[in-house]
């Protein structure tokens, strides 16, 4: 089971969150059938959403969305307050050769565009409050740097963001995935900032230590070095979608009686696909007749 922990260091002037998302990302890329580079992009976004979702209160939802001109056509990742994350890419087959250093060319498939952070509250209890949306231009397209830029620009919080996905050619495709978010709060000592920057710069790759079994707590220790920290909370993270057969029926029903009748006559059924988890719900002729009967 994937886990996330959050904590503080240096008298609450440093916030740290770390997550391991190996199983979560495996589930996501298996569902969407993404090519390796698209898998890396989706995995990084899911880890980023999980990290940012760590501070969600009840009935909250956080969405990261990339709208850009690269072959992937956009990426969406969502986290809720119970540790559920889900997401998708517009073109799962987007692929480019690796960069000269052997890494996935995530920036290449993402392209140029905008990075959005959307926070919603109240929607689960029927209160449709205006979402809070922060948008910044994509800086590198590598996602971690874009998140760091978002925090600096939109929230004025200097942050270090590390995200990594390690893949192999056969199942399970994801051998390691996770991320760390370190935020410098007002009043932080310059010496502490320098120490953390130095430790992060020299830390081994996240994925190489996750592959060896590192926990989120190990990841924090790795990025904070000798600075002590206190763990404030922990939660399980998993791929979860809010769709269901019932919801699919409700959405089809909302099309109205005439539309349902023509579906019954022409297509002898209906198909609903959930973009977030790629689950397909099929309604046969009897299902449609039942719905039409309810609407009569
Ligand atoms: Zn779904």
């Amino acid at each position: 089971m994937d886990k996330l922990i959050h904590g503080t260091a240096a008298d609450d002037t440093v916030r740290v969150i770390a997550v391991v998302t190996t199983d979560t990302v495996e589930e996501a890329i298996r569902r969407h059938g993404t090519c390796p580079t698209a898998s890396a992009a989706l995995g990084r976004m899911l880890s980023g959403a999980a990290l940012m979702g760590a501070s969600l209160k009840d009935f909250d939802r956080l969405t990261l969305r990339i709208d850009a001109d690269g072959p992937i056509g956009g990426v969406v990742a969502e986290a809720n307050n119970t540790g559920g994350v889900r997401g998708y890419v517009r073109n799962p087959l987007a692929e480019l050769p690796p960069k000269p250093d052997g890494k996935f060319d995530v920036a290449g498939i993402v392209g140029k565009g905008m990075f959005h952070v959307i926070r919603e509250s109240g929607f689960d209890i029927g209160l449709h409050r205006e979402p809070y949306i922060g948008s910044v231009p994509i800086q590198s397209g590598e996602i971690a740097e874009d998140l760091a830029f978002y925090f600096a620009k939109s929230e004025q919080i200097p942050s270090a963001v590390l995200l990594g996905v390690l893949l192999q050619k056969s199942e399970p495709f994801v051998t390691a995935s996770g991320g760390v978010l370190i935020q410098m709060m007002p009043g932080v000592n310059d010496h502490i900032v320098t120490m953390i920057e130095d430790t992060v710069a020299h830390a081994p790759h996240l994925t190489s230590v996750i592959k060896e079994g590192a926990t989120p707590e190990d990841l924090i220790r790795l990025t904070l070095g000798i600075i002590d920290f206190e763990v404030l909370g922990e939660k399980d993270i998993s791929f979860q979608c809010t769709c269901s057969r019932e919801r699919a029926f409700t959405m089809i029903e909302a099309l109205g009686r005439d539309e349902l009748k023509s579906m019954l006559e022409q297509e002898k059924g209906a198909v609903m696909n959930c973009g977030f988890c790629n689950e397909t719900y099929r309604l046969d002729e009897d299902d449609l007749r039942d719905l039409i009967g309810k609407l009569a």
Side-chain angles (χ1 to χ4, degrees), residues 197-257:
E197 281 171 350
D198 196 53
T199 311
V200 167
H202 295 97
H205 278 296
L206 284 189
T207 49
S208 63
V209 293
I210 294 172
K211 192 182 167 190
E212 301 304 324
T215 63
E217 210 167 325
D218 297 330
L219 300 181
I220 292 182
R221 202 164 291 122
L222 195 77
T223 42
L224 290 187
I226 57 165
I227 300 169
D228 276 338
F229 62 93
E230 183 191 351
V231 174
L232 297 178
E234 171 183 316
K235 64 178 164 184
D236 293 337
I237 299 290
S238 63
F239 188 96
Q240 282 172 29
C241 197
T242 53
C243 69
S244 65
R245 192 159 168 80
E246 288 68 35
R247 285 200 186 194
F249 272 59
T250 306
M251 285 172 85
I252 299 277
E253 190 182 336
L255 296 173
R257 201 161 185 264

Side-chain angles (χ1 to χ4, degrees), residues 31 86 239-244 273-279 281:
R31 283 180 169 273
R86 61 178 189 166
F239 188 96
Q240 282 172 29
C241 197
T242 53
C243 69
S244 65
N273 181 265
C274 175
F276 273 102
C277 68
N278 211 19
E279 193 74 42
Y281 299 96

Side-chain angles (χ1 to χ4, degrees), residues 168-189:
Q168 61 182 13
K169 287 194 167 61
S170 56
E171 287 191 77
F173 298 111
V174 185
T175 46
S177 176
V180 179
L181 169 62
I182 305 169
Q183 301 198 299
M184 314 300 173
M185 306 316 284
V188 67
N189 185 307

